[in-house]
Structure formats: structure tokens, C-alpha cells
Amino acid sequence: MATDDRDLVIAWKAGDRKAGTTLIRRHLPSLHRFFLNKVSATSDVEELVQRTFTACAEGIERFRDEASFRTWMFAIARNVLGLWIRARQRVEVDLDKQSIVDLGAGPSTVLAAVREQKLLLQALRRIPLQSQILLELYYWETLSAAKLGEVFDAPEGTMRGRIRAAKLDLRAALDTLANSGEDIQSTAAGLEDWARSLRALAG
């Protein structure tokens, strides 16, 4: 039986539902992480995960065999999240400027173990949603600028600039949240390590 993503996708497109189930199970933890810090309830996470996999199944014939299933899935998840948010807002929504907190979301379902992690999770939810998505995929799913370009449909160079800008946004949000200079310094100094350590919590 096929084991890598590419072969599983080809088999799925050919009608092998078992191959599709294998792909879905393989990437389920990543998809949970994608939605977990962007909604208020676990039930919403489950709904959005289901919507994403349904969209993947319905669109599998349009998947390009040379592409990455993982980045294709995240691109669909990003679209699903945007549609879900806009359906719940009564005003115009700009996800390049508005954050999850701006949009009225309640506390995250992710539980932080230490203060630095809690600050980072809160800060991520206070930067523009597209920047939050970008950084969480960068830190938690270790997507390169090139792979992020596939998710956001943008050139690699553009994504490198967006990563730098998103990191600045995150540091500014941390600066606002932290209660003392010492907290800011310890959190910001270890930003890369703390951000990556959240992957296990989100998993």
C-alpha cells in the first residue's frame, strides 16, 4: 500500500477511500493545531476540522500531483476559517488587519504551562489573523517561506518579508501584554524557543 502523501493522494484520486482516510488521520494533529488558538470552543475546532477535510475530499480531483498535500490542506483550512469568521460577523472583516481578539473571540482552548507560553498565546491572538496563521504555521508546522508561499499563494520573497513583519507584530503585542520589563525581556529573548514549545501544547 502507498505510504507517502503523494502516492496516497494519487490513490485517493483513483477512488481508494482507504488512502484518503490514511491521509486524513496522518494530518489530523496538524489541522487541530491550526484551529486551536483561533476559536473559543473545542466544538468549533472539531467543526472546522471536519469542514476542511470535507473540502479536501470534494476538491481532491483538482489537487495537482506535484504539489504538497500538507500545504494544500492548510490553504483550504485558511479559507474555511475565513468563511467561518465572516459568517459570524455583522460588519466588514479585514483579516489582514483584524485579530481574533478584535473579532470578539473568547479565551483560547490551548492551556499554557508557564507564563511565557501564556503570554505568547495571548499575543498571537492579538496580531492580525493572517499574521497569526503565518507564524503558527512557521513555528508549529515548521513550514519554510517557500511552503508558506503555497499556503498564501504568494512568492517566497514576499513570504520572507511577511514573516519578519509578523514577528515584529508579535513582539509589539508581547510588549503590550507583559507587566514588567523583566517579563518582556525574558519572553522576547526566547521567542523562537517558546513559540516552538507551544507546538506540543497545541497538539
Side-chain angles (χ1 to χ4, degrees):
M1 180 182 172
T3 56
D4 67 20
D5 280 3
R6 183 177 180 278
D7 290 341
L8 286 169
V9 169
I10 292 172
W12 193 9
K13 289 173 71 173
D16 186 346
R17 293 185 178 181
K18 189 174 181 180
T21 299
T22 300
L23 263 176
I24 287 170
R25 287 178 177 170
R26 176 177 295 174
H27 295 288
L28 185 60
S30 293
L31 206 52
H32 268 276
R33 279 191 295 270
F34 180 88
F35 291 115
L36 199 57
N37 196 37
K38 303 176 185 71
V39 298
S40 305
T42 302
S43 59
D44 291 334
V45 174
E46 299 301 331
E47 178 184 348
L48 290 166
V49 166
Q50 183 59 48
R51 288 189 187 189
T52 301
F53 280 134
T54 297
C56 287
E58 292 175 347
I60 194 63
E61 289 301 325
R62 297 189 299 275
F63 179 81
R64 295 177 292 105
D65 292 344
E66 71 276 9
S68 159
F69 176 80
R70 197 158 170 253
T71 56
W72 182 69
M73 177 190 73
F74 284 132
I76 290 175
R78 179 171 164 257
N79 185 53
V80 165
L81 179 63
L83 291 172
W84 186 82
I85 288 172
R86 289 186 172 96
R88 283 157 176 73
Q89 299 294 317
R90 297 180 180 178
V91 295
E92 187 77 16
V93 175
D94 186 346
L95 301 182
D96 286 312
K97 296 180 179 178
Q98 292 174 277
S99 70
I100 285 294
V101 170
D102 292 335
L103 297 168
S108 171
T109 55
V110 185
L111 298 177
V114 294
R115 176 172 174 75
E116 286 88 346
Q117 290 174 335
K118 183 178 179 180
L119 282 171
L120 273 173
L121 286 171
Q122 291 176 347
L124 281 164
R125 289 164 62 85
R126 282 166 170 75
I127 64 177
L129 179 59
Q130 299 294 12
S131 294
Q132 179 187 353
I133 292 172
L134 176 66
L135 288 184
E136 288 181 0
L137 288 176
Y138 177 74
Y139 285 122
W140 297 357
E141 306 304 331
T142 62
L143 293 190
S144 64
K147 291 297 183 183
L148 286 167
E150 295 177 16
V151 176
F152 286 81
D153 192 23
E156 180 179 352
T158 298
M159 296 314 301
R160 292 186 185 281
R162 289 185 185 179
I163 291 169
R164 289 192 294 270
K167 287 181 179 181
L168 290 175
D169 285 343
L170 183 60
R171 289 182 185 275
L174 279 169
D175 207 34
T176 300
L177 283 171
N179 293 323
S180 71
E182 181 179 351
D183 285 333
I184 296 170
Q185 184 176 3
S186 63
T187 305
L191 177 60
E192 306 284 326
D193 291 337
W194 284 115
R196 291 190 171 91
S197 74
L198 289 170
R199 184 183 192 276
L201 295 177

